[in-house]
Amino acid sequence: MEKSVARVLYGQGTSLNLTSRKIKAVPECVFRIKKLSVLQLNNNSISALPAELRSLRRLAELHLGNNALKELPAVLGHLESLKKLYLFSNQITVVAPEVMGGLHNLVVLNLNHNQIQRLPPEIRSLHGLQHLSLLDNQLEEVPAELGQLTSLTELNLTSNNLSGLPQQLYQCEELTKLYLARNKLTSLPEGIWALRKLQVLDVAGNKLFMFPVRFHLLPLRELHCEGNRFVRCEPMSAVQDAEVLSLKELVARFVLLEDRIRSSLVHRMLPHYPALTALAAAGSCCELCLNPFLTTWLECVHFISPKKDMKMTSVRVVPVRALLCSYKCLNTQGHSYYGIATR
């Protein structure tokens, strides 16, 4: 080991590999290599990192996979040049907020195979993060602040205990790969179609009932969704009573419809009434007649055949949620939307 350090130290090297050396602590001689940019310490028994590590101000890549760390050492928050951090296969249960605050230049963070139950809101500090992986942890929720990682291109949350995702996740518009397999998800938040660059989605082994509205607009090349509880297409006749809309819903539909007409008085006056403006922002649109509605709708489903060039497993059609404004629309002929029946 000392020969490896000496070779780098006196040869003016910038990379040091101490993988699988059975060491329990980072050797002190390492801290003398001021130009060190890559430090590999995988497959050892390291349980803590000394404060002296902060002297490696040029360190850009740190490998600590398969060690004995139980938390993210505070000293990591002082490595401002760090771009890649690998901490897979440790015993980490806590991600300290103060560590997140100092890793402004981090691009890759790998925390696979640990015991992490939650991420701190301070994760929003990782503005440049592109790859975040927490495969095989114990996450029960994802903070809304994750949506502020607008540079994120790949997110892996496979094999956790997630029952839901924050709507803010869809602010990560650069996402191309999203892995959510083997969780406890019963639904995906509406708005996933905003991920215009998403090419790979893995939601296999969850409890999904159907996909969100406009899901089929995603430019997916791979979709893995086997092992869910998708609604099945088994048409049956049913008698529907005509819905009775509340006064609020009737007024809301009128306002929303008038707001589409730029010359209308409602459209011109709406900015002067914040409450009505907020109401208009909360409106949705009927999939069939395209008329607006506020809070009263029919939850329906239509079955979409994936694109021919999309890589899938055994699933041939996927159920996608659709909202219709009334039974009148549902009862029209020539569409492929179905009401949902429970048994």
Side-chain angles (χ1 to χ4, degrees), residues 92-155:
I92 299 171
T93 59
V94 177
V95 178
E98 57 270 21
V99 176
M100 297 288 99
L103 297 173
H104 303 298
N105 293 310
L106 203 64
V107 175
V108 177
L109 177 57
N110 186 319
L111 291 164
N112 293 344
H113 309 298
N114 280 287
Q115 301 166 30
I116 300 169
Q117 294 184 2
R118 62 181 297 273
L119 293 173
E122 286 76 8
I123 196 170
R124 61 177 175 265
S125 302
L126 307 181
H127 302 298
L129 196 65
Q130 296 179 16
H131 300 265
L132 174 60
S133 190
L134 287 126
L135 180 149
D136 187 25
N137 275 274
Q138 299 175 15
L139 287 175
E140 297 182 353
E141 62 180 3
V142 176
E145 288 78 6
L146 193 68
Q148 297 182 33
L149 304 183
T150 53
S151 298
L152 205 61
T153 62
E154 183 172 332
L155 176 60

Side-chain angles (χ1 to χ4, degrees), residues 17-257:
N17 190 343
L18 296 178
T19 297
S20 302
R21 298 298 182 93
K22 299 181 180 180
I23 58 178
K24 296 182 179 181
V26 182
E28 293 184 7
C29 52
V30 171
F31 309 129
R32 303 206 308 266
I33 312 174
K34 302 303 180 183
K35 294 184 179 181
L36 196 64
S37 63
V38 179
L39 178 56
Q40 299 186 49
L41 294 163
N42 291 338
N43 305 329
N44 285 292
S45 301
I46 298 171
S47 59
L49 296 179
E52 289 81 0
L53 191 68
R54 71 174 67 185
S55 65
L56 303 179
R57 298 188 179 279
R58 298 187 183 183
L59 194 63
E61 192 169 322
L62 179 58
H63 297 254
L64 283 163
N66 197 18
N67 275 281
L69 296 170
K70 294 185 178 180
E71 62 181 5
L72 260 65
V75 67
L76 293 177
H78 298 280
L79 301 178
E80 296 183 355
S81 297
L82 204 61
K83 292 185 177 181
K84 297 181 179 180
L85 178 57
Y86 299 90
L87 292 162
F88 57 86
S89 298
N90 277 273
Q91 303 165 27
I92 299 171
T93 59
V94 177
V95 178
E98 57 270 21
V99 176
M100 297 288 99
L103 297 173
H104 303 298
N105 293 310
L106 203 64
V107 175
V108 177
L109 177 57
N110 186 319
L111 291 164
N112 293 344
H113 309 298
N114 280 287
Q115 301 166 30
I116 300 169
Q117 294 184 2
R118 62 181 297 273
L119 293 173
E122 286 76 8
I123 196 170
R124 61 177 175 265
S125 302
L126 307 181
H127 302 298
L129 196 65
Q130 296 179 16
H131 300 265
L132 174 60
S133 190
L134 287 126
L135 180 149
D136 187 25
N137 275 274
Q138 299 175 15
L139 287 175
E140 297 182 353
E141 62 180 3
V142 176
E145 288 78 6
L146 193 68
Q148 297 182 33
L149 304 183
T150 53
S151 298
L152 205 61
T153 62
E154 183 172 332
L155 176 60
N156 193 337
L157 298 173
T158 298
S159 296
N160 279 278
N161 297 319
L162 298 172
S163 57
L165 295 171
Q167 184 75 36
Q168 291 83 350
L169 178 62
Y170 299 148
Q171 296 172 13
C172 302
E173 296 182 356
E174 296 299 316
L175 266 182
T176 60
K177 298 179 180 180
L178 179 56
Y179 301 96
L180 300 167
R182 296 187 294 282
N183 277 281
K184 300 176 181 178
L185 299 173
T186 56
S187 65
L188 298 176
E190 298 297 333
I192 192 172
W193 56 271
L195 300 179
R196 303 288 187 180
K197 298 182 180 181
L198 193 65
Q199 297 183 7
V200 178
L201 176 62
D202 188 352
V203 291
N206 279 281
K207 301 177 181 179
L208 296 179
F209 187 52
M210 66 180 77
F211 286 106
V213 171
R214 300 182 186 176
F215 174 80
H216 54 291
L217 299 181
L218 287 171
L220 291 176
R221 294 184 178 180
E222 290 186 29
L223 174 61
H224 304 278
C225 58
E226 65 277 8
N228 280 279
R229 301 176 179 178
F230 290 129
V231 60
R232 293 177 295 176
C233 184
E234 297 179 359
M236 63 183 70
S237 59
V239 177
Q240 305 104 13
D241 295 326
E243 60 270 295
V244 178
L245 300 180
S246 67
L247 180 59
K248 179 181 178 180
E249 182 68 22
L250 289 170
V251 171
R253 292 189 180 194
F254 172 78
V255 171
L256 291 168
L257 197 58

Side-chain angles (χ1 to χ4, degrees), residues 290-306:
L290 303 182
N291 284 335
F293 57 83
L294 182 61
T295 59
T296 302
W297 64 78
L298 299 178
E299 185 176 42
C300 298
V301 62
H302 58 138
F303 295 87
I304 303 295
S305 297

